[in-house]
Amino acid sequence: MNIYAGNLPYSVDENQLREIFGQYGEVQEASVIKDRFSGRSKGFGFVVMPNDSEAQAAIDALNETEISQRPIRVNQAKPRAEGD
């Protein structure tokens, strides 16, 4: 399952994202989206978890929790629209 993680603190990197979600099961991939010019985090990322029940447990547990005083949004990622 592909999971969207939004409103992340700009300091969160791929390793921290993998660690946070790894508490709930296997993380196949974790990526923080960065600005292509500055290289700074855009404040969101994606996590791929191969086991859907573990992924759902992570979504349920982490959505609206705080990281560095920021309430993060976690839900199943929607497929990209054509032209994105």
Side-chain angles (χ1 to χ4, degrees), residues 59-74:
I59 290 169
D60 293 343
L62 294 170
N63 189 41
E64 298 299 327
T65 60
E66 287 192 2
I67 299 177
S68 300
Q69 290 83 44
R70 290 184 72 144
I72 64 170
R73 286 186 212 80
V74 180

Side-chain angles (χ1 to χ4, degrees), residues 1-20:
M1 179 184 295
N2 195 4
I3 302 168
Y4 167 82
N7 202 36
L8 296 172
Y10 295 119
S11 60
V12 170
D13 64 16
E14 280 90 359
N15 291 332
Q16 290 168 303
L17 202 57
R18 181 180 293 275
E19 193 175 297
I20 291 164

Side-chain angles (χ1 to χ4, degrees), residues 4-5 8-10 12-14 17 29-36 38-47 80:
Y4 167 82
L8 296 172
Y10 295 119
V12 170
D13 64 16
E14 280 90 359
L17 202 57
E29 185 180 335
S31 58
V32 173
I33 306 305
K34 295 181 173 86
D35 180 84
R36 75 176 67 164
S38 71
R40 267 190 67 196
S41 166
K42 288 190 168 189
F44 69 96
F46 296 94
V47 176
R80 289 180 74 163

